[in-house]
Amino acid sequence: MNEKNHVGLWNRCLEIIRDNIPEQTFKTWFSPIIPLRYENNTLVLQVPSQFFYEFLEEKFLDLLRQTIHKVFGEEAKLMYNVMVVKNPPTPVPLPSHSGPATSAKTIVEKAVPRMPQISELDPHLNRDYNFDTFIEGESNKLSRSVAEAVALNPAKTIFNPLFFYGASGVGKTHLANAIGTKIKELYPEKRVLYISAHLFQVQYTDSVRNNTTNDFINFYQSIDVLIIDDIQEFAGLTKTQNTFFHIFNHLHQNGKQLILTSDRSPVLLQGMEERLITRFKWGMVAELEKPTIELRRNILLDKIHRDGLQFPMEVVNYIAENVGDSVRDLEGIIISIMAHATIYNREVDMDLAQRIVRKVTHNENKVITVDDIINSVCKHFGLETSAIYTKSRKREVVQARQIAMYLAKNNTELSAAKIGTLIGNKDHATVLHACKTIKELREVDKTFRAEVDEIQSALRK
């Protein structure tokens, strides 16, 4: 085989792949791939990011393997070269590029002349909430990767709408603003708008009162990138939902990007019309989980560094270990400690940190042990604690054991293997399966979710 002809052969692969998947999926996941070389029976493909590579491996590995074997031969192997994309340091639009895909330092832009706008629009973005100030960890890695993909190519990926959900303070608003800010840097002509669901509802109510509903709808249908925060606040507001439904449809059908945030997943949005929930799930639904200790530590260090402060490392570690649920809580603790240190003219030390943390968090961050969890679960279900440690396969015992494992994973820093050892002497795979099972049940069964939350609340008392 002529190894220099790898581009032509790869194009033949693309023709086969294109016939086997939807066109939009092909454009999103295969058009950006660059065939670098074919040597020693190995095809090397360049992909834009680690997330891109992982998604290909998870969703399209069999299709890729079969196609490459068909075109390049059964002996062909596949390797990836993952680009490291660095954002430009200043928001200067990059020159247009006519090649088939992006490189590490260029971004594809169509040479479209800027059209006069309906009116200049304030996007209402918080510019401090950008990708540079968003600290990445395991709990938000996927969400950040998807957010960056959308920011680079708004409405040109399969992530439309992009729906972020998670507890308060985990970074949903930050990430939504970061997307809008990056889009305005790369595509200054686009009409980007960030708005809370509450303000949207107030504007809609005013438009009804003033008989200007058509103007309200026309304005929102002119937006290129619409970001709505806390969409759960539409619950029970039937007329607002109906109006948003038509705005959503218009924007989506006309190739505009929608980004939504919520404190819960779409399936748990009570009081929301089913047709809206269905649309929320059209694109990508991504959860931002509560930050791990490592991520909390990195967030604290970044905040301290940006503010030019000096904190002993033992203080940083103490805060990270005892203030767990929210990034806002972490930043609030830093502000409180600095205020006390300044007003009372004292050093930032462990004594001050412990006093502030205890005062602010009260019992929210009580240390919870596996024994506490087992006792609470068994008490809730009327079981003897010894039942958890038996090999019983009775449904109520199995479920209690799984809930205990799920709560242990969420409330302690223990590894899955350690949790398994302490709860029934099970292996780590059993623990991971239990956590997945309980998480899925919580999302589809409101009664079950309430039971688990009740046990969680009891643990905090």
Side-chain angles (χ1 to χ4, degrees), residues 233-301:
E233 294 198 15
F234 281 175
L237 304 173
T238 304
K239 292 182 179 178
T240 302
Q241 289 180 44
N242 286 338
T243 302
F244 179 66
F245 173 80
H246 295 299
I247 292 170
F248 181 106
N249 281 348
H250 178 89
L251 295 178
H252 197 274
Q253 290 167 8
N254 286 276
K256 310 302 183 182
Q257 180 70 50
L258 291 116
I259 300 155
L260 312 168
T261 79
S262 171
D263 64 357
R264 68 206 74 174
S265 67
V267 296
L268 294 175
L269 285 171
Q270 300 177 32
M272 198 75 73
E273 288 193 24
E274 188 61 37
R275 60 180 183 168
L276 265 182
I277 293 174
T278 300
R279 280 157 177 75
F280 293 163
K281 296 188 287 185
W282 272 358
M284 177 72 177
V285 177
E287 180 182 12
L288 280 86
E289 299 174 0
K290 292 178 181 178
T292 61
I293 283 184
E294 181 182 5
L295 179 55
R296 298 199 294 266
R297 185 182 295 113
N298 289 338
I299 290 168
L300 287 167
L301 290 172

Side-chain angles (χ1 to χ4, degrees), residues 138-156:
E138 284 302 314
S139 60
N140 60 32
K141 184 176 182 179
L142 172 63
S143 297
R144 184 202 173 103
S145 297
V146 173
E148 289 181 323
V150 168
L152 292 175
N153 291 291
K156 297 296 190 296

Side-chain angles (χ1 to χ4, degrees), residues 427-456:
D427 60 24
H428 78 285
T430 302
V431 175
L432 295 178
H433 173 72
C435 293
K436 183 173 182 289
T437 299
I438 299 304
K439 182 178 179 181
E440 290 174 350
L441 274 172
R442 277 170 52 84
E443 290 185 351
V444 300
D445 187 331
K446 289 182 288 186
T447 303
F448 180 79
R449 177 187 175 94
E451 284 200 282
V452 175
D453 288 348
E454 187 178 329
I455 299 170
Q456 176 69 67

